[in-house]
Amino acid sequence: MGIPYVRQLDFEYGRSDQVSPLIRRVICNNPGPFTFLGTGTYIVGRGEVAVIDPGPDDPAHLEAILAATAGEPITHIVITHHHSDHSPLAGPLQARCGAPIYGCAVVGASEDDADIKDGGVKMEAGHDLAFQPDVSLCGGGEVSGPGWTLEAIPTPGHTSNHLCYALPEENACFTGDHIMGWSTTVITPPDGDMTDYLASLNRIRARGFSTLWPTHGPPIRDVDAFIAAYLDHRQERIDQITTALKSGPARIADLVPRLYADVDPKLWPAASRSMLAAMIHLVREGRLAADGETYRLA
Ligand SMILES: [Zn+2]
């Protein structure tokens, strides 16, 4: 069974759309291979509002967010994770509205990770190493305004500091890059971690949300079936590796051309990073052993 992707979205860059009783969305004009149509910034509430993932440092998008919230104080700036298409506009927005920034600071990402590349191919959006929340929600926690609540749910995996935010008033959840309707998410070690990622998928699934709002693309309405397919997809990739290693030890560089023969070789560097994340997971579980770059069944 494939993942039931959802990619249809009626929008205009910079326009504020009321997408649910409590949620408005403004999309930034930064489409690309990691952002799909662009960064979807969510405005939660009425009167006093929270802004989730203001996006890249883009002056036009900053003005669009301020126009959409004119007359309504922004009381919270809420961040899912520190990638450059999510958090850099938090500072400039704060300079204009004064609201505190909530999220989880990343630890351990080095300057080397600022632009994640492999074989000269960019793997994902860069890290915003300057990201520093005023209030840490690393361990969870709630923020609220009139008629709305946002509950931080730690969901490490895509990044170590990733948070999803439940909106209990609508049994909905803002999933950042943890669960996206248009694509699988990139898990790039060392900040990305497959073991954590699988646990975080189950954590969101267990909550029984009726709608997921990813930062990129349309909402996911058939939540349980979607997450089940997402988990199956990861399991299939993991099973492919253990099956391939039954015929003898191999390096990632040997396995990728075999297991991704039907995929454009341009995507092999990204596939190699995902495979590395899966290898680390399997070694940790005691199912594989590593001798340098060579992996074998344990
Ligand atoms: Zn990201």
Side-chain angles (χ1 to χ4, degrees):
M1 182 185 74
I3 297 171
Y5 290 116
V6 281
R7 295 186 172 128
Q8 270 319 107
L9 191 63
D10 168 37
F11 77 103
E12 237 173 68
Y13 290 119
R15 182 179 79 191
S16 173
D17 288 320
Q18 188 83 43
V19 292
S20 86
L22 283 174
I23 307 171
R24 282 167 280 173
R25 182 186 57 216
V26 183
I27 297 181
C28 179
N29 191 352
N30 64 332
F34 310 107
T35 61
F36 187 40
L37 306 167
T39 297
T41 298
Y42 293 105
I43 299 163
V44 178
R46 274 280 168 203
E48 291 176 13
V49 301
V51 171
I52 301 179
D53 281 358
D57 189 355
D58 177 313
H61 192 54
L62 174 60
E63 295 310 322
I65 293 169
L66 291 167
T69 56
E72 299 173 281
I74 297 169
T75 55
H76 301 74
I77 299 169
V78 179
I79 303 295
T80 61
H81 67 298
H82 70 293
H83 278 157
S84 59
D85 52 328
H86 294 256
S87 55
L89 198 60
L93 179 61
Q94 180 175 53
R96 298 284 291 275
C97 73
I101 298 167
Y102 296 78
C104 180
V106 69
V107 276
S110 72
E111 290 291 342
D112 295 346
D113 298 331
D115 258 347
I116 297 162
K117 289 183 182 162
D118 202 332
V121 180
K122 203 157 176 261
M123 287 301 112
E124 61 179 356
H127 293 259
D128 171 16
L129 295 173
F131 172 64
Q132 212 34 269
D134 300 308
V135 181
S136 174
L137 296 176
C138 293
E142 273 187 13
V143 299
S144 60
W148 59 265
T149 316
L150 290 174
E151 176 205 348
I153 306 172
T155 41
H158 174 63
T159 61
S160 58
N161 65 338
H162 196 288
L163 297 169
C164 291
Y165 293 93
L167 176 66
E169 290 82 358
E170 295 189 356
N171 193 32
C173 187
F174 299 95
T175 52
D177 286 356
H178 178 50
I179 300 171
M180 298 184 282
W182 75 283
S183 166
T184 56
T185 193
V186 176
I187 312 289
T188 299
D191 195 43
D193 185 300
M194 188 65 75
T195 310
D196 287 347
Y197 184 67
L198 297 172
S200 294
L201 285 180
N202 282 309
R203 186 169 304 141
I204 294 301
R205 189 183 187 188
R207 293 289 298 264
F209 293 114
S210 41
T211 308
L212 305 182
W213 296 95
T215 300
H216 309 287
I220 296 158
R221 307 282 187 184
D222 199 356
V223 173
D224 194 69
F226 192 90
I227 299 178
Y230 236 45
L231 283 161
D232 283 351
H233 168 79
R234 295 290 175 179
Q235 196 56 51
E236 274 166 28
R237 287 296 187 198
I238 287 168
D239 291 346
Q240 281 179 347
I241 293 169
T242 52
T243 301
L245 290 177
K246 279 181 186 156
S247 54
R251 298 171 312 147
I252 290 173
D254 306 321
L255 290 175
V256 166
R258 279 162 59 191
L259 300 186
Y260 291 80
D262 56 337
V263 168
D264 184 342
K266 273 190 217 138
L267 297 175
W268 287 359
S272 302
R273 301 301 296 181
S274 285
M275 193 178 286
L276 174 61
M279 294 296 196
I280 293 168
H281 172 63
L282 287 165
V283 169
R284 223 181 252 154
E285 286 200 319
R287 294 169 63 193
L288 296 188
D291 307 307
E293 290 187 10
T294 304
Y295 294 86
R296 60 180 166 77
L297 295 179

